[in-house]
Amino acid sequence: MQTATQILQKYWNHNTFRSLQNEIIDSVLKGNDTFALMPTGGGKSICFQVPGMMKDGICLVISPLVALMKDQVANLQKRDIKAIALTGGIQSNELIELLDNCEFGNYKFIYLSPERLQSDWVLERIKNLPINLIAIDEAHCVSQWGHDFRPAYLKISKLRTHFPKIPFLALTASATPKVKEDIIKELGLNNPQIFQKSFERPNIAYMTFEVEDKLFRIEQILKKNPQPSIIYVRNRKSCLDISSQLDSLGIKATFYHGGLSLKEKDKNMQLWMNETVQVIVATNAFGMGIDKANVKTVIHIQLPESLENYYQEAGRAGRNGKKAYAVLLTSPSDIVQAENQFIHVLPDRKFLNEMYIKLCNYFQIAYGEGINEQFSFNMNQFCLKYGFPTLKTYNALQFIDRQGIISLSQEFSEKITLQFIIPSKEVIRYMSLNPQDEEIILTILRTYPGIYELQTAFNIQLIAKKSNHSEE
């Protein structure tokens, strides 16, 4: 059998392992369950890819993101290693064919989304494969304390009953002690070997600038450093705005946010990965598993949600070990905006009590009654009736759901989304010809200023109230 270093040289053209990689590989090869906490860009994938190549059979990799799976499979295929990704978008008949290929096609790596494990027939097929290692990437998703909790991750422990002697390797770049404890418990790791690497990234220079004109400073930074860059923004409209402003300044840019179709996401990401454009402007939907080694600069133009998120996002710079920059641009109004967006929507005790009493009134049940009863609930209507802010109310409902006071079903009815696809002058012309609709249209425009650029979630009760019209 070839040694780990020989495999690394043959397929990855590296002569030595980075810190802790060799120790983790050694632990896995000895058959130990292993927990590895390594910083973003620390080379986690090598920790399962090398032992997967050394052992007979197939390495099963459970990963939460389609982009991450496709990227890693493409990288393995480039090295003439047989790998396949069974992502969520594949139809059942195609999946059956792909699983047949896995059984008889001499594959070394199968990448699987955790949601796939919820299908019993998929689990049955995997049971018959010669699995040599089960790697759980982004393992913090198993923890309800983690910032990316995915309920489907809780099903992974089922694999333990089918593969009792196969080692589990849990990998993450962000886990507090509580999350680490959760990962070990929920994945059913047996006396795991634990490896934790320092989170220091000495090649990244972290900088914060208070500026009045953020666009001017972005232009200066990007023209001085013309290598691939990421700009993180808070919302979808900013993605479009900043991207088009950079284009007009002669800096090629594209954008990425959760509202794009899979096709658009793929297209825009490839433009950036292939370096057809220098910059990708993105919300935090562009995240986990984005593996581009030569990102020179990551710029945040609004305060991130948390230090943990900032570390993850800034850590996408300089994965090749060369000098890189993480830049945070702030202005005095940013703190107020962040407080409005995060702090002010957190319910306190007084709000929780008031909201719960009103909830009982709304359903016309006595305070403390209603056990095992079910009610259909229109949250927008409820908020409008009692003058509650929507987001704060939703957070309060989630809180009392977690406390076991109510059970909040997530079966939302379809949202209304709206976009104006004709020019503003045509909208004005329409209003002059249809004065009875003018008040409604003006209210929509005042409430949703980005409605020309994006499909916008639309609260019909709110618009009806503001424009003094009925919902009908």
Side-chain angles (χ1 to χ4, degrees):
M1 185 172 80
Q2 290 178 300
T3 66
T5 309
Q6 284 169 332
I7 295 277
L8 186 73
Q9 286 167 337
K10 181 177 175 182
Y11 292 100
W12 282 273
N13 296 322
H14 295 304
N15 294 320
T16 54
F17 287 102
R18 292 189 204 167
S19 156
L20 285 190
Q21 284 178 331
N22 210 357
E23 293 89 328
I24 293 165
I25 290 165
D26 193 43
S27 168
V28 168
L29 290 172
K30 284 176 180 166
N32 297 319
D33 281 353
T34 306
F35 172 89
L37 176 60
M38 298 170 82
T40 302
K44 293 189 293 296
S45 53
I46 288 289
C47 298
F48 58 81
Q49 287 171 347
V50 168
M53 289 298 292
M54 291 174 72
K55 297 168 82 149
D56 290 334
I58 300 169
C59 172
L60 180 65
V61 186
I62 295 156
S63 174
L65 277 190
V66 174
L68 168 70
M69 290 194 257
K70 284 182 177 171
D71 189 41
Q72 291 203 3
V73 165
N75 279 330
L76 288 166
Q77 287 171 346
K78 266 193 276 184
R79 295 177 165 87
D80 288 329
I81 298 169
K82 288 194 84 173
I84 193 168
L86 307 179
T87 56
I90 299 170
Q91 300 295 320
S92 292
N93 54 349
E94 196 186 337
L95 190 62
I96 290 166
E97 206 175 301
L98 291 171
L99 283 162
D100 284 342
N101 290 349
C102 295
E103 204 163 337
F104 307 108
N106 214 13
Y107 277 88
K108 288 304 292 175
F109 293 92
I110 298 175
Y111 282 77
L112 194 72
S113 64
E115 285 73 17
R116 282 289 181 207
L117 293 173
Q118 293 178 306
S119 303
D120 288 338
W121 70 270
V122 172
L123 206 54
E124 280 300 311
R125 294 297 301 271
I126 288 167
K127 232 166 64 176
N128 300 321
L129 298 176
I131 302 295
N132 60 28
L133 168 63
I134 295 168
I136 301 101
D137 208 0
E138 310 293 350
H140 59 270
C141 296
V142 79
S143 170
Q144 295 198 45
W145 300 94
H147 55 85
D148 291 307
F149 174 56
R150 292 270 285 262
Y153 260 66
L154 297 169
K155 306 280 180 192
I156 295 170
S157 56
K158 270 189 183 179
L159 290 169
R160 176 63 79 194
T161 55
H162 304 303
F163 301 104
K165 293 184 178 163
I166 300 301
F168 274 43
L169 169 60
L171 300 137
T172 178
S174 56
T176 60
K178 177 70 185 157
V179 171
K180 178 176 124 185
E181 199 181 295
D182 242 14
I183 291 169
I184 292 167
K185 178 175 159 243
E186 296 296 349
L187 293 177
L189 304 184
N190 295 324
N191 300 320
Q193 296 289 302
I194 293 171
F195 298 93
Q196 294 182 196
K197 188 176 175 183
S198 163
F199 275 60
E200 187 188 3
R201 295 282 302 281
N203 65 314
I204 299 180
Y206 295 91
M207 304 172 175
T208 305
F209 300 110
E210 191 167 308
V211 292
E212 293 204 3
D213 187 344
K214 291 183 182 179
L215 190 66
F216 176 68
R217 182 56 70 94
I218 291 168
E219 184 188 6
Q220 284 182 314
I221 294 166
L222 295 176
K223 285 189 172 169
K224 190 178 175 188
N225 301 286
Q227 298 91 337
S229 303
I230 307 171
I231 297 175
Y232 278 106
V233 295
R234 282 249 67 92
N235 55 53
R236 296 171 182 187
K237 186 173 183 300
S238 299
C239 277
L240 294 170
D241 290 348
I242 301 290
S243 172
S244 59
Q245 284 166 344
L246 290 174
D247 276 332
S248 68
L249 293 168
I251 297 166
K252 288 185 176 175
T254 186
F255 56 89
Y256 189 107
H257 59 70
L260 297 176
S261 67
L262 269 176
K263 196 175 171 185
E264 288 173 303
K265 282 179 183 172
D266 263 0
K267 186 186 99 185
N268 291 359
M269 188 171 153
Q270 286 313 313
L271 286 171
W272 179 71
M273 292 293 279
N274 302 336
E275 298 182 21
T276 310
V277 300
Q278 179 190 348
V279 184
I280 190 159
V281 185
T283 61
N284 60 6
F286 183 75
M288 268 192 296
I290 301 304
D291 194 11
K292 187 165 172 59
N294 62 337
V295 176
K296 184 73 170 177
T297 316
V298 174
I299 302 171
H300 282 76
I301 62 169
Q302 282 126 355
L303 295 175
E305 290 173 42
S306 65
L307 203 53
E308 196 176 27
N309 277 21
Y310 181 69
Y311 176 78
Q312 278 266 13
E313 289 160 10
R316 298 197 170 102
R319 292 189 172 192
N320 55 4
K322 294 181 182 173
K323 184 77 178 165
Y325 303 98
V327 182
L328 176 60
L329 301 180
T330 71
S331 63
S333 64
D334 284 354
I335 292 171
V336 177
Q337 274 180 346
E339 283 176 349
N340 287 339
Q341 198 168 354
F342 302 114
I343 308 299
H344 295 163
V345 297
L346 295 175
D348 55 13
R349 186 183 217 158
K350 181 171 176 270
F351 184 81
L352 284 165
N353 278 333
E354 189 185 349
M355 196 267 316
Y356 183 64
I357 290 164
K358 293 288 192 270
L359 197 64
C360 292
N361 292 346
Y362 186 74
F363 294 136
Q364 296 186 320
I365 54 173
Y367 184 75
E369 294 296 321
I371 292 170
N372 296 328
E373 285 188 55
Q374 285 190 344
F375 303 92
S376 60
F377 181 57
N378 183 323
M379 197 169 77
N380 285 331
Q381 224 170 49
F382 173 72
C383 292
L384 212 59
K385 183 171 180 177
Y386 296 109
F388 288 151
T390 312
L391 197 52
K392 194 171 185 176
T393 305
Y394 180 60
N395 289 338
L397 288 166
Q398 281 196 310
F399 179 80
I400 63 172
D401 175 42
R402 286 196 296 271
Q403 304 308 309
I405 294 161
I406 63 165
S407 177
L408 183 65
S409 162
Q410 301 288 325
E411 294 160 25
F412 301 127
S413 60
E414 190 98 25
K415 274 195 311 191
I416 299 171
T417 58
L418 196 66
Q419 183 178 1
F420 284 9
I421 55 174
I422 57 171
S424 56
K425 64 180 182 195
E426 289 298 321
V427 174
I428 292 163
R429 197 169 78 88
Y430 175 85
M431 285 193 291
S432 67
L433 295 172
N434 299 273
Q436 74 280 6
D437 294 338
E438 184 176 356
E439 207 173 349
I440 295 171
I441 292 169
L442 286 174
T443 306
I444 291 169
L445 290 170
R446 286 189 196 110
T447 310
Y448 305 113
I451 204 154
Y452 284 105
E453 286 91 7
L454 291 171
Q455 281 204 5
T456 304
F458 182 71
N459 182 338
I460 195 163
Q461 288 89 5
L462 182 70
I463 298 300
K465 187 182 179 188
K466 279 186 170 184
S467 64
N468 297 315
H469 282 73
S470 70
E471 285 181 37
E472 286 72 27

